[in-house]
Amino acid sequence: MSFIQQTEAYYSHKREVNELKKSENVFDHHFVFDADDLSNILSHFQEEHIAISLLAQMGGIEGISYALRTDMISGLGKDEIADPDSFSHRRTLFGSNEESAKPPVPFLLLCWEELKDPMLRILLIAAFISTITGAIQHPADGWIDGLAILMAVVIVVSVGGINNYQKELQFRKQETGAIQHPADGWIDGLAILMAVVIVVSVGGINNYQKELQFRKQEAESKKKFCIVLRGGEEKQIAFGDVVVGDLVVLRDGFTIPADGIFVLGTENLKAQEAGLTGESRELSKNRFHPLLMKGTNIVSGEGLMIAVAVGDKTEWGRLMAKLTDDRDSTPLQDKLEVMGAHIGWLGIVVAVILFLVLTIYWAIDDQSNAVENLLLFFIIAVTIVVVAVPEGLPLAVTISLAYSMKKMLCDNNFVRHLQACETMGNATTICSDKTGTLTTNKMSVSKCHMYGNTAYFQALPSSSELSQTAYQRVSIAICVNTKSFQDEPKSDIERAAIREGRMKAPLTGGNQTDCAMLQWVIDLGASNYKEIRETNPVTKFFPFDSKVKRSSVLCRDSMEDKSKFVMYVKGAAEQILSLCTQCMTKEGHAETLTEKHTNSILSAMDAMTRSGLRCLAVCYRSYRVDEIPFKSTVSYKLEDNDAECLFTDMTWICCVGIADPVRPEVPDAVATCQRAGIVVRMVTGDHLETAKHIAKQCGILTCSDHVCMTGGEFRELSDADKKRLLPRLRVLARSKPADKEELVIWYKTQNEPQDIVAVTGDGANDALALKNADVGLSMGIQGTDVAKEASDIIIMDDNFASIEKTVMWGRSVYDNIRKFVQFQLTVNVTALTISLIGAFYTHAALLDRHPFKKDSHLITKCLWRFILGHSLYQLTALILTLLFGIQWLDIDDSESARDEHNRNIHHMTVVFNVFVWMQIFNEVNARKVTNDRNVFVGILRNAIFWLIIIVSVIAQILLVQWFGAFAQTTALRLVDWGYCMVWGAGTLIWHQIVISVPVDMNDGIQIVESERLFKREPEFTAELKVTVEPPTSTTLN
């Protein structure tokens, strides 16, 4: 690489260090390394030996800082601070610290996506042909623009009424074989075009607004700040203002704003890279481990780093760039596409046959007016295609999805991809995280074992049960060895609730374990924890070390001999026990740790671990000054390596069991999902035993047949083992992000039958699993920006119960579409059939059922029964009215009652009215897609349904009674209206006969073997009781 050669040249010629800084300003400086050179180091952050080798070739941190014109003590020079253009120059060379955000999808592109619907394409083609042929026949078009606007408004307001009118209008044209009406030849085509425009606009606008809303939320979440050294002074700046060469200050709790290299820091400087790698370990940062990554967090210590990569050049930026919005089509999209194709081809076949038949009849009977008649036959054929296609379906799907999306937002589900609504409804597997989703992520001490022989499993001890000495030792040991503190109440209501004991003051700082331990001693009575810390100042702090699984503090002994020091140690119980040779008694004194004590402690630890608790222990030891290898007895400086000899012969205080309580609403939500035929599986990085216990509490692990395994075991499975075990898998513990991704792909492609998989994720490392799932669910609180970008739905409260709501709304969408399909296709079948005849006639229990299969047809046998059954009734009513309506209703059929095309307008109006009233009443029947006989259940609660019915009725009355010139109708008598309504109401009675025809009600449904998959055994279900801790958040009763 060229940068290596250049760097070697600097040092082989032995140039003075200051010579690299001789440039008078940043604009004249030769930076040596470009953005790709610097970014290349950090791209090997998971292969640290390669990164360190590259760094060494570039002259180490000194070579980097010199080349970037950065002082390793004071940061960027004062001359750059005084000139704002200098920062612009650095951004020009190395980039800005902002990822190239994907711009919102253009509105026109979203509209184009909507036009990919095959039914809309068929309608567009038919509309253009109808418009052109109509214009050729009747060029007078003075009032068409106004009519088009009116048609658009009417279609939006009353889809049902106007759709019925259009269908009946087409069928009435066919009855006499004549479609001429004055000066409106292309109105029908224009009306279809307006319907398509409305569908495209509704979908496009909704997607566009949704995209803008997500970008706005994302922008708010990115407003973060950091501290840098510039000109020797600390300055707080936004993440986006960091430039390559900045000296960034690192402190406990800070988020790293850019990829950087360690310059200097304390011995306990540690970072957690869970957001990037998924590993929750705290990693030491020093000259031997110098890489610091953007988006990760400092968990202890202080230090400085030099920013070497920003924006798209960071590892975080590269990961974001890999995420694309290319997704497989959803099951509903596939089903609608298949149905649209079948309908389109059916309409085309029927239209071609009809055109040929009419042409043959014309050729045999009368060969006059060839052009006019052939054009007429062609328009009739096009009309058949238009009648066959349910043009209202795309609009119904779009409106249903958009409405559900808005309702889901009220249930803490932010939908990023509209189709995810319906996909979630037929999910068969949910792979859920544990911490924060199934549990509260608020750890608390629930059990305790003290003195080596006393268990407090039913209730924790109170301060009155402890001697004064024992209480002091416990409270000091925990207060000085934790960093947490009580946060200030955010409101008067919260303050009053804390004062009245209705909630605990929230703790912040440190990790969840620290908060749990401190809360325990506060409950014991150590509300003066700040005073305890002040009276026991820490001389030496030993941060948590994953190798020895403990953290420690050395401080003056304030209880006994103040000339002595005391070490307090907190960590994994089994590790702490191995350090102890003594045990604290109830009186607070030390005695020999006997075998009986050890057995009692081990038994208590085992019981707590098996019940899903994390065991931590506390111990201490006092030292004389001469027993501690201080470097100086004046400064009391102690090196970490010299202190190892101090961790022996310690005195055991206690061990506690810390629980992350299951959210109270989760067991019911899991049970609801199982009742709905959805298998919930836990995928976590936690210990297997802990995960199994939580899974039992949630109701996920309910019998011995269920499989639990670790990620390591999962990776060793053969294909045959996977087919045998994974369908019964309930817990995957100690898993890596790659395990989750592979698991998702296996359930989607290899399981029999293939699953529709939803998966939760919160880290950047979960992005690919979220992308590969049918529905990706990211966490709104704990989720990283990368996870949110990769997901379809954001769970705003990180709660599994909210995921249950997504299933409910998804099924609502799917069933609403099925209801519309069975209603609309009944109309289409009837209109298509009667059009063919006329061409030759010269006169919520939503979650109680299992999900639908991924490859099932949208129109099941149950829907076909509805469509064909009601089509038979409607055809019978229309044919009888056509044949005998004049006689039955005593309609005047004289020459004066007919128009210029020899049509009896009164008679045709009655036929039209019968058709429409049957559709209005059939909307009531279509509310149910099952065998429910009572179609009126819940009808009074649906205001939108009643609005559509009322608008349809009003529109029909206006069309018949007052808009005769426009609709080619005539005002009817009361007896005519009564006749039409009787036929309409008859559909309600006929429906009871239709649903009596036996069909397979499980057609298309993925039958889940509930007895096997959700089997419950007593020893497992006993774990389902959830202990609810007193509220510690701002949620008040």
Side-chain angles (χ1 to χ4, degrees):
M1 296 177 109
S2 61
F3 71 78
I4 296 176
Q5 297 167 356
Q6 292 183 42
T7 307
E8 288 176 348
Y10 274 119
Y11 293 95
S12 62
H13 292 113
K14 298 181 180 180
R15 296 185 179 182
E16 294 292 333
V17 167
N18 289 334
E19 187 177 343
L20 295 175
K21 291 189 173 182
K22 280 187 176 179
S23 52
E24 294 183 0
N25 57 63
V26 68
F27 304 103
D28 297 331
H29 184 69
H30 178 49
F31 280 96
V32 184
F33 313 125
D34 61 23
D36 291 330
D37 295 336
L38 297 169
S39 178
N40 185 54
I41 305 175
L42 279 302
S43 67
H44 296 284
F45 80 101
Q46 290 185 311
E47 303 165 306
E48 204 168 40
H49 63 285
I50 297 178
I52 291 174
S53 175
L54 290 172
L55 181 60
Q57 294 179 65
M58 299 170 76
I61 185 60
E62 291 82 4
I64 295 287
S65 60
Y66 297 155
L68 293 180
R69 202 173 183 266
T70 301
D71 189 286
M72 293 174 61
I73 301 300
S74 59
L76 299 182
K78 293 183 178 181
D79 60 316
E80 291 193 47
I81 300 172
D83 185 1
D85 291 339
S86 63
F87 297 116
S88 299
H89 182 64
R90 284 183 180 267
R91 292 189 182 98
T92 301
L93 293 174
F94 300 104
S96 171
N97 195 27
E98 293 179 354
E99 288 84 20
S100 299
K102 297 174 190 169
V105 183
F107 174 70
L108 291 178
L109 183 58
L110 290 172
C111 292
W112 176 252
E113 291 295 322
E114 293 291 325
L115 282 172
K116 290 183 179 179
D117 189 303
M119 280 177 281
L120 287 180
R121 291 178 176 179
I122 294 171
L123 285 171
L124 276 175
I125 296 170
F128 279 118
I129 294 174
S130 179
T131 301
I132 294 170
T133 53
I136 292 173
Q137 281 195 314
H138 305 286
D141 60 348
W143 47 280
I144 290 180
D145 289 340
L147 177 65
I149 297 172
L150 175 63
M151 288 295 295
V153 174
V154 173
I155 289 172
V156 173
V157 174
S158 58
V159 174
I162 293 302
N163 280 345
N164 292 339
Y165 163 69
Q166 290 175 332
K167 289 290 183 297
E168 180 60 12
L169 189 61
Q170 301 299 332
F171 127 72
R172 285 171 54 210
K173 293 174 188 174
Q174 301 305 313
E175 287 178 322
T176 60
I179 61 170
Q180 295 92 349
H181 31 248
D184 65 349
W186 61 5
I187 292 177
D188 300 319
L190 194 56
I192 297 169
L193 279 174
M194 290 306 299
V196 173
V197 168
I198 290 168
V199 172
V200 171
S201 299
V202 169
I205 290 172
N206 187 77
N207 288 337
Y208 189 68
Q209 290 177 335
K210 167 181 59 61
E211 188 76 11
L212 289 179
Q213 186 177 359
F214 173 73
R215 297 296 171 185
K216 182 179 179 181
Q217 181 197 48
E218 189 178 41
E220 289 294 324
S221 68
K222 289 183 177 179
K223 288 183 179 178
K224 298 176 182 177
F225 296 89
C226 62
I227 296 176
V228 297
L229 277 176
R230 288 179 176 174
E233 297 179 358
E234 289 189 0
K235 296 183 180 295
Q236 180 174 311
I237 62 173
F239 274 25
D241 293 334
V242 174
V243 295
V244 169
D246 257 325
L247 207 58
V248 181
V249 176
L250 308 173
R251 288 178 185 152
D252 186 3
F254 282 19
T255 300
I256 300 175
D259 284 358
I261 298 175
F262 174 88
V263 175
L264 58 88
T266 58
E267 294 178 357
N268 63 323
L269 180 63
K270 292 188 177 182
Q272 189 182 67
E273 299 177 351
L276 196 61
T277 65
E279 297 289 339
S280 59
R281 292 182 302 156
E282 297 176 355
L283 305 175
S284 295
K285 296 298 175 182
N286 47 47
R287 280 184 170 265
F288 303 104
H289 306 285
L291 305 183
L292 293 128
M293 312 305 296
K294 178 175 181 175
T296 60
N297 300 304
I298 300 299
V299 293
S300 66
E302 295 186 6
L304 295 174
M305 77 167 202
I306 185 169
V308 297
V310 295
D312 294 335
K313 296 297 183 180
T314 63
E315 189 64 21
W316 185 278
R318 281 191 288 267
L319 181 58
M320 289 289 285
K322 290 178 183 178
L323 299 180
T324 64
D325 287 328
D326 297 332
R327 291 175 176 269
D328 297 334
S329 57
T330 67
L332 178 62
Q333 288 173 320
D334 293 337
K335 293 171 185 177
L336 288 174
E337 187 172 345
V338 170
M339 189 184 77
H342 289 168
I343 291 174
W345 281 112
L346 175 64
I348 291 171
V349 169
V350 172
V352 170
I353 293 173
L354 179 60
F355 179 80
L356 293 175
V357 169
L358 289 174
T359 303
I360 293 170
Y361 274 10
W362 167 78
I364 295 174
D365 187 45
D366 179 14
Q367 298 183 9
S368 61
N369 301 321
V371 174
E372 183 178 346
N373 279 294
L374 289 176
L375 181 60
L376 171 63
F377 299 156
F378 180 73
I379 293 174
I380 292 173
V382 171
T383 303
I384 289 295
V385 176
V386 174
V387 170
V389 176
E391 76 282 355
L393 182 57
L395 182 61
V397 171
T398 301
I399 291 175
S400 184
L401 288 172
Y403 177 77
S404 296
M405 185 194 79
K406 295 182 186 301
K407 298 296 290 184
M408 288 170 72
L409 188 58
C410 298
D411 288 331
N412 293 312
N413 296 302
F414 181 81
V415 180
R416 293 197 58 234
H417 297 102
L418 206 57
Q419 292 80 3
C421 295
E422 57 85 10
T423 307
M424 195 64 197
N426 284 322
T428 55
T429 284
I430 298 177
C431 297
S432 175
D433 286 336
K434 176 182 73 71
T435 304
T437 305
L438 298 172
T439 63
T440 62
N441 198 26
K442 294 178 181 176
M443 292 188 174
S444 61
V445 174
S446 61
K447 295 181 180 180
C448 175
H449 187 274
M450 300 186 70
Y451 319 127
N453 56 18
T454 306
Y456 296 92
F457 283 5
Q458 300 302 317
L460 294 173
S462 63
S463 57
S464 61
E465 297 177 67
L466 305 181
S467 67
Q468 183 62 26
T469 305
Y471 165 74
Q472 281 186 303
R473 186 65 74 184
V474 171
S475 59
I476 294 174
I478 293 175
C479 287
V480 299
N481 202 6
T482 55
K483 298 179 181 178
S484 307
F485 56 90
Q486 289 181 328
D487 202 1
E488 288 296 322
K490 296 179 175 60
S491 66
D492 292 338
I493 297 176
E494 187 174 312
R495 199 172 289 108
I498 295 172
R499 189 168 55 249
E500 295 168 9
R502 290 187 289 114
M503 69 173 287
K504 296 177 182 178
L507 297 177
T508 187
N511 54 36
Q512 288 289 333
T513 303
D514 271 8
C515 292
M517 295 289 281
L518 181 61
Q519 186 63 58
W520 177 48
V521 294
I522 289 175
D523 292 342
L524 274 175
S527 56
N528 61 334
Y529 67 94
K530 291 182 180 179
E531 182 182 332
I532 294 174
R533 289 172 177 172
E534 290 172 359
T535 56
N536 294 271
V538 175
T539 302
K540 173 68 177 178
F541 172 62
F542 300 89
F544 180 80
D545 188 334
S546 58
K547 293 180 181 178
V548 294
K549 297 183 179 180
R550 66 174 185 249
S551 64
S552 314
V553 290
L554 182 67
C555 55
R556 287 285 186 179
D557 190 350
S558 62
M559 286 185 60
E560 297 176 357
D561 186 348
K562 293 187 178 181
S563 64
K564 291 185 176 181
F565 285 86
V566 62
M567 180 84 77
Y568 292 107
V569 185
K570 166 174 64 72
E574 66 275 11
Q575 297 291 331
I576 299 301
L577 183 60
S578 66
L579 304 178
C580 298
T581 58
Q582 293 185 300
C583 177
M584 187 182 76
T585 64
K586 290 185 178 182
E587 292 73 28
H589 306 305
E591 67 177 10
T592 302
L593 183 70
T594 65
E595 184 178 352
K596 185 177 181 181
H597 286 142
T598 302
N599 291 336
S600 178
I601 293 169
L602 291 173
S603 176
M605 288 164 49
D606 182 60
M608 286 189 277
T609 302
R610 282 189 288 104
S611 61
L613 303 182
R614 181 182 178 186
C615 283
L616 293 183
V618 183
C619 66
Y620 77 99
R621 178 185 168 184
S622 295
Y623 310 89
R624 299 188 311 273
V625 174
D626 58 1
E627 291 180 301
I628 303 175
F630 287 124
K631 291 291 184 184
S632 168
T633 55
V634 177
S635 62
Y636 295 113
K637 184 177 180 181
L638 177 64
E639 297 292 342
D640 287 3
N641 295 335
D642 297 334
E644 194 58 36
C645 63
L646 301 177
F647 295 95
T648 57
D649 297 327
M650 308 202 84
T651 301
W652 175 272
I653 298 177
C654 65
C655 71
V656 297
I658 297 179
D660 183 5
V662 170
R663 290 180 181 267
E665 62 274 20
V666 163
D668 287 340
V670 170
T672 301
C673 288
Q674 291 172 344
R675 189 171 66 249
I678 303 169
V679 180
V680 181
R681 311 178 199 271
M682 179 193 294
V683 183
T684 178
D686 210 338
H687 291 281
L688 180 60
E689 289 302 318
T690 302
K692 286 167 65 175
H693 178 76
I694 297 297
K696 290 178 183 178
Q697 285 189 313
C698 295
I700 295 173
L701 182 61
T702 57
C703 72
S704 56
D705 289 338
H706 290 164
V707 174
C708 304
M709 67 176 69
T710 63
E713 293 169 339
F714 169 73
R715 291 188 287 275
E716 296 297 323
L717 293 178
S718 64
D719 290 341
D721 289 336
K722 287 179 179 179
K723 287 188 176 182
R724 180 172 56 87
L725 297 174
L726 293 189
R728 295 183 287 123
L729 180 69
R730 290 300 179 274
V731 176
L732 182 63
R734 287 302 188 197
S735 64
K736 295 182 178 180
D739 298 333
K740 182 187 286 189
E741 181 186 355
E742 185 179 346
L743 190 70
V744 167
I745 294 173
W746 190 90
Y747 282 120
K748 280 184 63 178
T749 60
Q750 302 299 318
N751 199 16
E752 297 177 0
Q754 293 179 359
D755 282 308
I756 296 177
V757 183
V759 64
T760 69
D762 51 19
N765 52 307
D766 292 323
L768 294 179
L770 291 168
K771 276 289 184 183
N772 283 305
D774 291 295
V775 181
L777 305 162
S778 64
M779 301 296 109
I781 298 173
Q782 298 184 84
T784 62
D785 293 340
V786 177
K788 292 176 184 177
E789 182 74 26
S791 66
D792 301 287
I793 298 174
I794 299 175
I795 308 301
M796 305 299 288
D797 60 353
D798 292 13
N799 193 338
F800 185 86
S802 296
I803 298 176
E804 174 206 343
K805 299 287 183 62
T806 67
V807 177
M808 183 188 72
W809 280 110
R811 294 197 174 184
S812 174
V813 168
Y814 194 81
D815 279 4
N816 286 340
I817 293 169
R818 294 177 68 226
K819 291 172 187 177
F820 182 85
V821 166
Q822 72 174 4
F823 168 76
Q824 184 68 52
L825 289 188
T826 302
V827 178
N828 287 50
V829 169
T830 304
L832 182 60
T833 306
I834 206 69
S835 297
L836 284 169
I837 295 171
F840 306 102
Y841 185 63
T842 57
H843 290 277
L846 294 170
L847 297 179
D848 289 334
R849 66 162 170 81
H850 291 178
F852 280 90
K853 296 176 183 176
K854 194 172 187 177
D855 56 353
S856 66
H857 294 292
L858 186 63
I859 308 175
T860 60
K861 293 177 181 177
C862 180
L863 265 64
W864 276 122
R865 179 185 65 180
F866 183 101
I867 293 167
L868 297 178
H870 283 282
S871 296
L872 176 63
Y873 174 87
Q874 293 182 16
L875 284 170
T876 302
L878 292 172
I879 292 173
L880 289 176
T881 303
L882 275 171
L883 295 175
F884 306 109
I886 293 177
Q887 178 183 344
W888 288 349
L889 297 173
D890 193 21
I891 296 172
D892 180 10
D893 196 30
S894 62
E895 288 293 328
S896 60
R898 295 177 174 273
D899 64 7
E900 65 272 20
H901 302 295
N902 199 32
R903 296 180 304 180
N904 190 317
I905 299 299
H906 189 164
H907 184 202
M908 293 298 99
T909 302
V910 170
V911 175
F912 168 48
N913 208 28
V914 168
F915 179 81
V916 171
W917 278 102
M918 286 191 295
Q919 309 318 319
I920 291 173
F921 279 96
N922 204 30
E923 287 182 50
V924 178
N925 292 327
R927 293 180 64 250
K928 304 295 180 182
V929 286
T930 57
N931 268 348
D932 294 342
R933 291 194 174 275
N934 187 354
V935 295
F936 298 101
V937 173
I939 197 170
L940 296 178
R941 297 194 300 268
N942 196 333
I944 296 177
F945 177 82
W946 279 110
L947 176 63
I948 293 172
I949 292 292
I950 292 170
V951 170
S952 300
V953 170
I954 293 174
Q956 181 64 13
I957 293 173
L958 291 175
L959 286 170
V960 171
Q961 296 297 114
W962 286 282
F963 290 92
F966 165 72
Q968 298 184 28
T969 60
T970 187
L972 298 180
R973 304 163 299 177
L974 285 177
V975 65
D976 300 330
W977 281 101
Y979 174 85
C980 299
M981 289 183 183
V982 166
W983 276 115
T987 61
L988 298 176
I989 300 172
W990 178 253
H991 182 69
Q992 302 301 312
I993 299 173
V994 170
I995 62 176
S996 298
V997 177
V999 294
D1000 181 9
M1001 296 304 297
N1002 291 324
D1003 179 39
I1005 291 179
Q1006 183 165 318
I1007 301 301
V1008 176
E1009 299 178 42
S1010 300
E1011 291 185 2
R1012 179 177 62 86
L1013 290 176
F1014 308 128
K1015 179 181 178 182
R1016 292 179 178 269
E1017 296 177 354
E1019 61 268 30
F1020 286 82
T1021 54
E1023 303 280 356
L1024 285 176
K1025 292 183 180 179
V1026 179
T1027 303
V1028 183
E1029 293 292 318
T1032 59
S1033 67
T1034 56
T1035 303
L1036 305 175
N1037 294 327

